[in-house]
Amino acid sequence: MAGQNEHGNGAVNLLRDAIPRPQGSSVSSCAACPVRDLSFCNALSDEELDHLNRVSSDVFLTTGQSLFDEGAPADHVFNVTSGAMKVYKLLSDGRRQITGFLFPGDFLGLSTRDAYAYSAEAVCSTQLCRFNRQKLEHLLRDFPKVERRLLGIANDELALAQEQMLILGRKTAKEKIASFLLMLSRRAKKSGSQSNPIALPITRTDMADFLGLTTETVSRTITQLKSSGLITLLPGNEVRLESLEALEDMAEGE
C-alpha cells in the first residue's frame, strides 16, 4: 500500500501543476486539438469550443505516473489526447485488476459519486485535457449536445465492460489473447488509426492483469501465436496480425 500512497501524492501534485490554456489567441487549443473528431467535444462549434477552452488545462504524464487514485475526490474529468492510460482497482489482498485501457479520444473520470471509482495510470508518455468537473457541469447546461455525447461515451464504456466480462469468463488463454489483440485492432480502426499492425505499448504484466492471467502465461501464449504464424512481433512495440480470420476463429473458440 505504500506504493499507492506514493502514487496518490504524485497525483495530487500533478493536478495542482496542470498547465492552464493560453487565452485570447485566434484559434483555441480545443479547436486545434488533433483528436477533436474523436472526443466528447466534437459536436461543438469553434465559438462553443472557446468556452470549453477556458475551463480546461493540459496534463502531461510519464510512463507509470498516476493521474488519480481510487477513492480520491472526483474534482476533475479528463480526455486523452495522446498516449494511453490504464484504469484499475486494487483488491483487498493487494492484487490489481485492470479494468480497461484508454487511448486518444477516450474520456475518463466520470463519476456519479464524489470520489473516483478506480485508479488511473499512464501506460506510456501521455497528454490529457483536464476539466474542472463543476465548471464542466455548468457548461453542459448551456451545451446539451455535449451532454448527449457524454451519454454516448458512457454507453460505449458499458459495452466495453461487457466485452471484458466475456473475455474473462470461460475463454482459454489463447482465446483471451486473440480477443485482446482483435479488440485493439477494432478500436484503432474506429479512431482512424492504423489497425494492422497494431501499436502495443502495454506490458505483458498489464495484459495479464487485464485478462486474468499470469505474466508467464501471457508471454508463453504470445510466443505460441508467433510460432504458429498468426502474429509477428515488430520493432517499436507493434504487432502484425497475420491472419485475422484465424485469430477471430480462435477468439470464438473455434
Side-chain angles (χ1 to χ4, degrees):
M1 297 302 290
Q4 182 183 3
N5 291 335
E6 180 181 349
H7 284 172
N9 292 335
V12 170
N13 292 335
L14 174 70
L15 299 186
R16 182 194 64 200
D17 296 336
I19 302 173
R21 296 284 177 75
Q23 305 298 327
S25 60
S26 58
V27 179
S28 73
S29 298
C30 288
C33 177
V35 296
R36 175 182 171 185
D37 291 341
L38 306 176
S39 67
F40 77 101
C41 52
N42 67 341
L44 297 178
S45 66
D46 287 346
E47 182 178 354
E48 291 168 334
L49 280 174
D50 189 55
H51 290 282
L52 190 64
N53 189 65
R54 294 171 188 170
V55 300
S56 63
S57 56
D58 292 316
V59 171
F60 298 89
L61 300 175
T62 57
T63 302
Q65 191 171 5
S66 175
L67 180 63
F68 56 77
D69 290 315
E70 181 181 354
D75 295 330
H76 299 87
V77 293
F78 304 85
N79 197 57
V80 182
T81 55
S82 68
M85 299 290 299
K86 60 186 174 189
V87 293
Y88 63 91
K89 296 181 72 70
L90 290 175
L91 305 180
S92 58
D93 59 3
R95 289 179 299 164
R96 182 185 65 169
Q97 175 63 58
I98 293 179
T99 58
F101 295 97
L102 302 170
F103 301 97
D106 287 337
F107 202 75
L108 71 156
L110 285 175
S111 177
T112 57
R113 302 178 180 178
D114 294 330
Y116 294 115
Y118 50 80
S119 300
E121 182 181 302
V123 170
C124 54
S125 296
T126 301
Q127 180 176 350
L128 308 97
C129 292
R130 185 191 77 161
F131 303 94
N132 178 278
R133 180 181 174 184
Q134 188 175 32
K135 291 180 179 179
L136 184 62
E137 287 174 351
H138 288 317
L139 279 179
L140 292 181
R141 291 197 285 266
D142 297 326
F143 304 134
K145 290 180 290 186
V146 176
E147 188 171 21
R148 289 194 294 270
R149 174 62 177 150
L150 286 176
L151 179 61
I153 289 173
N155 288 334
D156 290 342
E157 289 182 351
L158 179 60
L160 289 172
Q162 292 172 334
E163 183 174 3
Q164 189 197 8
M165 289 174 63
L166 176 61
I167 291 175
L168 291 177
R170 298 181 178 275
K171 290 194 173 186
T172 66
K174 281 188 177 181
E175 292 166 358
K176 289 181 178 182
I177 297 294
S179 297
F180 181 71
L181 295 175
L182 291 169
M183 178 185 70
L184 291 181
S185 178
R186 288 194 298 269
R187 292 195 66 181
K189 183 177 182 180
K190 182 179 179 181
S191 67
S193 301
Q194 177 179 265
S195 60
N196 194 19
I198 57 173
L200 190 64
I202 301 160
T203 67
R204 297 186 181 184
T205 297
D206 284 349
M207 289 176 62
D209 286 346
F210 179 70
L211 296 172
L213 301 170
T214 65
T215 303
E216 292 76 13
T217 298
V218 169
S219 296
R220 183 171 60 252
T221 304
I222 287 176
T223 299
Q224 291 172 350
L225 294 179
K226 177 184 174 182
S227 300
S228 300
L230 295 179
I231 64 172
T232 299
L233 304 182
L234 303 174
N237 292 323
E238 287 192 333
V239 178
R240 183 166 60 237
L241 310 182
E242 301 293 357
S243 175
L244 290 175
E245 183 177 355
L247 286 170
E248 288 169 354
D249 287 344
M250 180 176 290
E252 297 300 322
E254 298 178 6

